[in-house]
Amino acid sequence: MDIYNYNYEIPLKSLPFNLKGYRKEFGLLNNVVYKCPGVYFTHMCSIPGSCPSHDLYVVMDHAPISQEARSYGQKLPGLPGILLYQVEEKDFYHKIIEYEILKFYVKQGIPTSELDTLHSLALHGAELCPEYFGEYPAPTVTPWGYTTRYKTIRPGIFWIETDQCFTALAISYIMQDDLSEEVLDMAYITEFDKERGIDESMGCLFFNEDQMCLAIFELIKASPSAKWDKINIPALMNKIWKDFPEYATGYNLSEQSGQHDILGKILTCFDSSYKPESSSKNIISMTPEAGLDFFRF
């Protein structure tokens, strides 16, 4: 088979595997895309009253997938030599297979989508599957000199000190979607990222000591269930009120009017009588006894 002949839908009757015995778990096989030798992307239709639809990667024994990547696959009784990776799974192991498929393309010189690169998949992988991709590394170069020491607030979010005695916050490029335009406009990037273009180099975004409170606040709001044990949130809010009172006032007004209830705003499109919800827990409040030092280190 021509090595360029991948990423096309294949007839179900020609598949080298059979998932009929797992309809209750995954649904009915609808269509299959041949990704590379021994790797198939399958879409399973839901069965009413049984299970929802699923998207799966099916990996065969002869696929060019590393042994390490295989260790994350799901084995099925009665289907020896086959591993499954569910796209809906919270462990995001399907990202590992997508990376290995793309690595195969690159090694074979096969043209790939401009949307995905090994670099971009690895950046997302460091956040979603650090056990395979490794932790997201702290930047060694900043707009204010070289990093001399750092502390990881969360994967991809770093408190940094530089050789110019400058304190800053660095966040992964892929987290920029969690920031408002107002806060993104405050970000700094390195000269290298300016020359190459930040969307190509995918370098970190940096915030100076005065601005980092806003960036951290918006990152917390974007991932409220994440572990933020290194941040004193009441002190963070105090800092925002002290240095950015207009931001705090505007944010609270938006919260009180339900502007941060994204699902509620969508529902109003279908039911004009529905009112987006707000919560006093989500406003930026002041707690004088908490002080202004919002880092717990």
Side-chain angles (χ1 to χ4, degrees):
M1 180 179 292
D2 182 357
I3 65 169
Y4 291 87
N5 198 14
Y6 299 126
N7 263 325
Y8 66 92
E9 190 171 338
I10 61 176
L12 301 185
K13 61 182 180 181
S14 64
L15 292 178
F17 56 88
N18 190 331
L19 297 178
K20 289 183 179 179
Y22 293 90
R23 289 178 176 176
K24 289 184 179 180
E25 292 86 350
F26 305 121
L28 295 171
L29 191 59
N30 184 38
N31 65 288
V32 179
V33 175
Y34 182 66
K35 302 299 292 185
C36 72
V39 181
Y40 304 83
F41 179 79
T42 69
H43 176 67
M44 316 291 288
C45 288
S46 62
I47 300 177
S50 177
C51 70
S53 61
H54 288 79
D55 288 333
L56 309 168
Y57 282 100
V58 178
V59 175
M60 312 291 290
D61 258 350
H62 63 281
I65 303 299
S66 70
Q67 289 302 314
E68 182 182 1
R70 290 176 181 275
S71 68
Y72 296 98
Q74 176 185 358
K75 296 180 180 179
L76 294 178
L79 292 177
I82 289 180
L83 295 171
L84 296 186
Y85 299 78
Q86 297 186 53
V87 174
E88 302 87 355
E89 287 293 291
K90 294 181 180 179
D91 52 33
F92 295 103
Y93 291 158
H94 66 281
K95 290 293 182 183
I96 297 173
I97 295 303
E98 290 172 358
Y99 175 84
E100 297 246 344
I101 292 170
L102 187 56
K103 186 167 66 171
F104 170 79
Y105 291 168
V106 172
K107 285 183 176 181
Q108 297 294 330
I110 299 171
T112 60
S113 166
E114 294 182 358
L115 298 177
D116 288 324
T117 65
L118 289 177
H119 185 195
S120 65
L121 286 179
L123 284 179
H124 285 86
E127 180 185 15
L128 302 173
C129 304
E131 58 268 47
Y132 172 84
F133 291 95
E135 296 284 351
Y136 190 92
T140 56
V141 179
T142 80
W144 307 284
Y146 295 102
T147 298
T148 53
R149 69 188 188 108
Y150 71 91
K151 296 185 184 296
T152 303
I153 299 171
R154 275 200 65 231
I157 307 174
F158 307 95
W159 173 92
I160 285 177
E161 195 170 82
T162 77
D163 60 355
Q164 296 179 15
C165 297
F166 206 94
T167 301
L169 182 79
I171 71 168
S172 164
Y173 168 86
I174 62 173
M175 295 181 179
Q176 64 176 323
D177 290 342
D178 294 335
L179 302 177
S180 65
E181 289 296 327
E182 179 181 358
V183 173
L184 277 175
D185 287 343
M186 299 178 181
Y188 294 82
I189 61 176
T190 64
E191 289 300 321
F192 175 81
D193 292 328
K194 289 178 183 178
E195 293 172 2
R196 292 289 299 272
I198 187 71
D199 292 329
E200 178 182 343
S201 62
M202 298 184 180
C204 281
L205 303 177
F206 297 87
F207 297 86
N208 66 31
E209 193 168 14
D210 296 329
Q211 302 161 338
M212 63 174 68
C213 61
L214 293 183
I216 293 174
F217 174 75
E218 292 196 352
L219 291 170
I220 291 174
K221 289 302 178 183
S223 302
S225 61
K227 189 176 181 180
W228 296 98
D229 57 315
K230 294 183 180 178
I231 301 296
N232 182 328
I233 295 178
L236 177 71
M237 292 183 176
N238 287 346
K239 182 69 172 174
I240 293 174
W241 268 115
K242 177 181 180 295
D243 294 348
F244 300 95
E246 292 183 358
Y247 176 95
T249 300
Y251 181 91
N252 287 350
L253 288 173
S254 296
E255 174 61 35
Q256 291 166 356
S257 63
Q259 294 302 304
H260 300 148
D261 180 11
I262 304 301
L263 177 59
K265 292 173 70 175
I266 294 174
L267 291 176
T268 58
C269 297
F270 302 95
D271 182 359
S272 59
S273 64
Y274 184 89
K275 293 183 178 180
E277 298 180 355
S278 64
S279 172
S280 59
K281 295 180 180 180
N282 295 329
I283 68 170
I284 302 176
S285 57
M286 287 186 281
T287 311
E289 63 272 19
L292 299 172
D293 187 4
F294 52 85
F295 287 117
R296 295 190 186 274
F297 50 78

